[in-house]
Amino acid sequence: MEALLDVKKGLIGQVRFFGDFFGLESREALEKVFTGCPYREDDIRKRLADFPLEEYFRGVDREEFCEFLAG
């Protein structure tokens, strides 16, 4: 999986996900979750706290995914 983040002045403007992953839902809804989010792991984790991540990326570990995005 690859994630391209457009970060300006510490805020995520846009995210695009690419790769071979299988999910039930379209990635666009997940990408919109991050618009305006501060680019910090804790803030990313908060945005994903109640989000059904498994429906977008099957088998993904939520903690690893947060670390991956904030990496």
Side-chain angles (χ1 to χ4, degrees), residues 31-54:
E31 292 169 349
K32 290 179 183 178
V33 167
F34 298 105
T35 302
C37 180
Y39 185 58
R40 293 187 300 256
E41 190 172 337
D42 287 343
D43 291 299
I44 291 170
R45 188 174 282 109
K46 287 176 189 174
R47 291 279 175 119
L48 290 175
D50 296 322
F51 195 83
L53 192 58
E54 180 70 22

Side-chain angles (χ1 to χ4, degrees), residues 1-68:
M1 178 189 317
E2 183 178 359
L4 300 178
L5 287 83
D6 179 28
V7 179
K8 293 180 183 167
K9 296 184 180 181
L11 298 177
I12 300 172
Q14 185 177 15
V15 177
R16 295 287 300 188
F17 293 104
F18 300 95
D20 296 332
F21 46 83
F22 300 99
L24 302 172
E25 301 294 333
S26 172
R27 62 175 165 63
E28 286 85 4
L30 175 61
E31 292 169 349
K32 290 179 183 178
V33 167
F34 298 105
T35 302
C37 180
Y39 185 58
R40 293 187 300 256
E41 190 172 337
D42 287 343
D43 291 299
I44 291 170
R45 188 174 282 109
K46 287 176 189 174
R47 291 279 175 119
L48 290 175
D50 296 322
F51 195 83
L53 192 58
E54 180 70 22
E55 294 179 16
Y56 294 82
F57 302 113
R58 288 187 179 203
V60 71
D61 178 90
R62 188 174 298 271
E63 287 301 311
E64 288 180 7
F65 187 75
C66 290
E67 291 171 13
F68 162 71

